[in-house]
Amino acid sequence: MQKKNMTSKKTPGKILSCLCFYLLLILLWQVIYHVGTDTLGWWKSYAMPSPLGVLQSLEKLIAKGTLSQAVIYSLRRVLIGFLISLLIGTVLGLLISASAFLNSCLKPLLNGFQSLPSVCWVPFAILWFGLKESAVLFVVVIGSTFSVALAIENAIASIPPIYKRAAATMGASPLQMYKDVIFPAALPGFLAGLRQSWSFAWRALMSGEVMSSYVGLGYSLMTGRDMADINQVTAVMLVIIVIGILIDRCVFSVLEHRVLKSRGMRAA
């Protein structure tokens, strides 16, 4: 109980420290903007974003409803694409885990595809699907599927061999082996890999929306570029960053914490 009380007392202080840190960063950003544009003339005011300009751009996007619409469309696309990649990637990961031949031949290829930037798939998406919703979904799926497959394979490969030997000694069938031993033991490692897969999907979505979308955060980013509005570009970038952090902290971190806590691998 004392440890919990100590932790709760420290929490407001930590929050205040973080707020002060970010306020100092914003203040430093504003000072650099004024010194670089007004005093030293290193860059033009339209080429360097300022905190006040970014805030004004955010207010305009929110007032017009453009930002909320873009966020909704982008989240819907990434959710659908990520679920599809989760399904395909799980099947691929199980295949390369179950077959030594596929592991030696297919796994290096998946590693190579994973290292390929998602924007490289945009021309294929446009040629195959046109400037449609399906083109963006294709980029998201292809951008995260290989990461999901490798996360599955790595999680299964990291299971201590004694678990499988003990289950086999007790007469576990192949189905029981996967259901009662492999899947539960691989779950913590798979969740850790899933966080990385999500980041790949989120970045792939931006690549697809920038090149072939009509509404979304990526499209809003390019609209700011076309209007030479560097403040809007920066504002949308910050929104993309914040959404990525929130999903990682509120979804994947919480899910991973609960799984590890249930296994006794993390304190309450």
Side-chain angles (χ1 to χ4, degrees):
M1 292 294 294
Q2 291 181 352
K3 289 184 178 180
K4 289 184 178 180
N5 292 333
M6 290 175 63
T7 303
S8 61
K9 290 180 181 179
K10 289 181 180 179
T11 300
K14 290 180 180 179
I15 295 175
L16 183 61
S17 299
C18 288
L19 287 175
C20 291
F21 173 75
Y22 286 117
L23 287 174
L24 285 174
L25 281 182
I26 293 172
L27 179 62
L28 180 61
W29 178 10
Q30 187 69 38
V31 170
I32 292 174
Y33 171 80
H34 280 299
V35 171
T37 55
D38 301 332
T39 306
L40 301 177
W42 285 346
W43 45 68
K44 303 295 183 182
S45 58
Y46 60 80
M48 178 68 179
S50 67
L52 293 178
V54 171
L55 181 61
Q56 291 173 356
S57 293
L58 276 175
E59 290 176 349
K60 290 179 182 178
L61 291 172
I62 293 172
K64 293 179 181 178
T66 305
L67 184 61
S68 60
Q69 185 184 34
V71 170
I72 291 171
Y73 270 79
S74 293
L75 288 177
R76 186 184 68 181
R77 289 177 184 134
V78 75
L79 179 61
I80 295 173
F82 186 65
L83 289 176
I84 295 173
S85 68
L86 186 61
L87 178 62
I88 300 173
T90 299
V91 173
L92 280 175
L94 291 176
L95 286 175
I96 60 178
S97 297
S99 170
F101 173 77
L102 290 178
N103 192 288
S104 61
C105 296
L106 188 58
K107 185 179 177 181
L109 187 61
L110 295 182
N111 276 311
F113 277 128
Q114 184 188 14
S115 65
L116 191 68
S118 301
V119 71
C120 297
W121 295 102
V122 173
F124 289 93
I126 295 175
L127 289 172
W128 291 347
F129 302 99
L131 298 176
K132 299 179 181 178
E133 191 85 0
S134 52
V136 181
L137 290 177
F138 170 79
V139 176
V140 174
V141 171
I142 206 73
S144 56
T145 295
F146 307 117
S147 179
V148 172
L150 292 171
I152 286 280
E153 193 277 333
N154 290 331
I156 294 176
S158 63
I159 298 174
I162 192 172
Y163 291 0
K164 300 177 184 178
R165 289 199 296 266
T169 301
M170 290 185 286
S173 65
L175 180 61
Q176 290 175 324
M177 182 74 74
Y178 274 94
K179 177 177 174 291
D180 298 326
V181 179
I182 294 178
F183 286 154
L187 185 58
F190 176 58
L191 288 177
L194 208 60
R195 297 176 71 173
Q196 184 182 24
S197 302
W198 163 260
S199 67
F200 278 110
W202 189 235
R203 285 185 288 179
L205 173 71
M206 295 304 118
S207 299
E209 287 187 341
V210 160
M211 302 296 292
S212 62
S213 183
Y214 60 93
V215 64
L217 290 171
Y219 179 77
S220 299
L221 198 68
M222 289 300 99
T223 301
R225 183 204 64 179
D226 294 338
M227 296 189 302
D229 189 349
I230 193 65
N231 289 310
Q232 177 172 324
V233 172
T234 307
V236 176
M237 288 174 62
L238 290 175
V239 171
I240 293 171
I241 292 171
V242 169
I243 291 175
I245 293 173
L246 287 176
I247 292 177
D248 180 77
R249 291 294 182 90
C250 299
V251 178
F252 293 102
S253 292
V254 171
L255 190 60
E256 185 179 0
H257 176 78
R258 288 183 178 179
V259 171
L260 293 177
K261 179 183 173 183
S262 65
R263 307 290 177 85
M265 301 169 65
R266 183 170 293 181

